[in-house]
Amino acid sequence: QVQLVESGGGLVQPGGSLRLSCVVSGITFSIYAMGWYRQAPGKQRELVAHISSGGITNYADSVKGRFTISRDNAKNTVYLSMNVLKPEDTAVYYCNARRTKEYWGQGTQVTVSS
């Protein structure tokens, strides 16, 4: 059974930081491309950051320079470090694993508010 379990979300003030984690089980983690997506109320789910199995990264323009995606294949974990958070970053953040099949986590809420 494939599981992606996100953690690390919460309430943070504008300008603050959070680090999301996604622990993956049930697949060969190292060969999967991993991504973080987010969905704000009333909006479509959007790609935030992506990291290939080889470690190549790309980011949505809205988070470039503020967010960093990384992976630890020994721990079957992908991270999203988020700095200088803004109210518009408020959303449910989802972890995604993709190769020939695609898997999703249950999401973790990030709220940026004073």
Side-chain angles (χ1 to χ4, degrees):
Q1 181 180 359
V2 180
Q3 286 191 313
L4 285 71
V5 181
E6 301 101 333
S7 62
L11 173 64
V12 62
Q13 292 187 341
S17 299
L18 283 175
R19 189 194 196 201
L20 306 183
S21 300
C22 174
V23 180
V24 181
S25 59
I27 57 174
T28 305
F29 176 79
S30 62
I31 65 173
Y32 275 73
M34 299 299 301
W36 285 97
Y37 289 72
R38 67 186 181 188
Q39 187 166 19
K43 295 188 177 181
Q44 289 190 330
R45 190 172 297 189
E46 62 174 357
L47 176 67
V48 175
H50 177 271
I51 184 166
S52 72
S53 58
I56 298 172
T57 60
N58 61 74
Y59 300 90
D61 287 344
S62 59
V63 307
K64 280 181 182 176
R66 300 189 297 122
F67 290 12
T68 302
I69 188 171
S70 60
R71 65 190 298 160
D72 185 337
N73 290 340
K75 295 182 178 181
N76 285 6
T77 302
V78 61
Y79 304 97
L80 184 68
S81 295
M82 307 185 292
N83 298 310
V84 194
L85 282 161
K86 304 175 181 180
E88 51 263 43
D89 295 317
T90 295
V92 178
Y93 283 71
Y94 296 91
C95 177
N96 172 274
R98 182 179 300 173
R99 186 170 162 83
T100 54
K101 293 185 178 181
E102 184 175 45
Y103 304 97
W104 292 91
Q106 81 289 349
T108 185
Q109 176 70 47
V110 172
T111 302
V112 185
S113 175
S114 55

